[in-house]
Amino acid sequence: MQKEELIILYEDNHIIVVLKPQNIACCPDESGDYNLFDYVKDYIKEKYQKTGNVYLGLIHRLDRPTGGVMVFAKTSKAASRLSEQMKNGGFEKKYFAVLCGVPAKKEGTLENYLRKNSVNNMVYVCTPSEEGSKFASLEYIIREVNGGLCLADIKLHTGRTHQIRVQTAAINCPVFGDMRYGGEKAVKSKLALWAYSLKFTHPTTGETLKFVAEPPLSESVWKNFDVKI
């Protein structure tokens, strides 16, 4: 991950909002790969000439193949308040996704119970009574259809692991480029899933903040659609 790839959308003494590139882990994991969390810490340490350990709070996550807007906390107080806000549904998270296939309804809500298998890091639709099941909900609007693909504008109500990928695959419209959940519709390409909008309340000022960023329009699959924010 090169330094020029770090795009900062906003920064003050309490928070920093950045653009996560695709195929970069958002935080340290067992792979040991350099990741966005450590990159932001290194940036703060270098910019402000801090010695010792730099505090950075992880508030939410994006899958490694997913890119888009992320916020980190620069103080423990900001982290606590943002985490509580996230827990209580105070964050509004929106995504663009190119789907293989077109849902029967142009807009709707998908509700499932999901269960994660930590052995293979796969998430499955399950029944509410299964051990480890968690409720997952999202709403979508199909903005445009092009051939066998469509552009979905998705708003998350919950933040489960691989949620969008699993729930769209469950209606036979997996995300383009999803080799993990795409099944027979899997296309070997970058995952066409992008966190384009993040809205929340500033942890100290109480101001409503909203940050948006277009998906990588240079990628071929996005060129098939009129992606406007």
Side-chain angles (χ1 to χ4, degrees):
M1 184 175 181
Q2 302 300 315
K3 284 194 173 183
E4 60 267 25
E5 292 178 325
L6 182 62
I7 299 175
I8 299 171
L9 303 179
Y10 176 84
E11 181 183 5
D12 62 22
N13 292 333
H14 309 279
I15 64 173
I16 181 169
V17 181
V18 301
L19 203 59
K20 177 190 172 298
Q22 290 184 277
N23 299 322
I24 296 293
C26 68
C27 57
D29 60 22
E30 54 190 30
S31 72
D33 294 343
Y34 195 48
N35 56 84
L36 185 63
F37 183 85
D38 287 337
Y39 191 7
V40 175
K41 285 183 69 172
D42 289 345
Y43 156 80
I44 293 173
K45 187 170 186 176
E46 182 178 337
K47 179 177 179 180
Y48 300 102
Q49 299 181 334
K50 289 182 176 287
T51 57
N53 188 41
V54 173
Y55 180 86
L56 191 68
L58 180 68
I59 308 304
H60 62 122
R61 301 169 188 263
L62 290 177
D63 295 345
R64 182 185 285 254
T66 305
V69 184
M70 287 192 69
V71 59
F72 294 92
K74 295 173 68 176
T75 66
S76 58
K77 179 185 289 187
S80 176
R81 291 179 178 178
L82 287 175
S83 296
E84 187 67 20
Q85 191 179 153
M86 174 73 72
K87 180 181 178 181
N88 294 330
F91 273 60
E92 181 186 85
K93 296 177 286 184
K94 292 185 177 181
Y95 294 71
F96 282 135
V98 176
L99 305 182
C100 297
V102 182
K105 297 180 180 179
K106 184 178 180 181
E107 58 184 86
T109 299
L110 301 181
E111 295 183 341
N112 301 98
Y113 282 86
L114 306 181
R115 174 181 56 83
K116 182 179 179 179
N117 184 328
S118 57
V119 176
N120 61 8
N121 197 33
M122 292 280 286
V123 177
Y124 303 91
V125 173
C126 66
T127 62
S129 59
E130 288 187 51
E131 184 177 356
S133 68
K134 294 183 178 180
F135 179 71
S137 176
L138 62 81
E139 61 183 273
Y140 70 87
I141 297 175
I142 302 304
R143 283 198 174 196
E144 189 179 350
V145 176
N146 189 329
L149 304 176
C150 70
L151 176 65
D153 190 337
I154 296 171
K155 179 179 178 181
L156 283 183
H157 295 156
T158 55
R160 308 305 183 196
T161 301
H162 300 175
Q163 178 179 338
I164 294 174
R165 299 164 65 184
V166 175
Q167 289 193 279
T168 56
I171 59 169
N172 200 30
C173 295
V175 177
F176 185 91
D178 196 343
M179 301 302 293
R180 184 183 291 260
Y181 298 106
E184 61 182 21
K185 292 187 176 182
V187 179
K188 193 171 183 180
S189 174
K190 275 190 176 181
L191 188 72
L193 181 60
W194 186 262
Y196 78 86
S197 178
L198 186 66
K199 185 167 75 171
F200 57 92
T201 301
H202 192 283
T204 61
T205 67
E207 179 186 2
T208 298
L209 301 177
K210 183 177 181 179
F211 303 94
V212 297
E214 291 182 339
L217 301 179
S218 59
E219 299 291 340
S220 59
V221 69
W222 296 106
K223 290 181 179 179
N224 295 319
F225 300 95
D226 182 19
V227 181
K228 292 181 180 178
I229 296 176

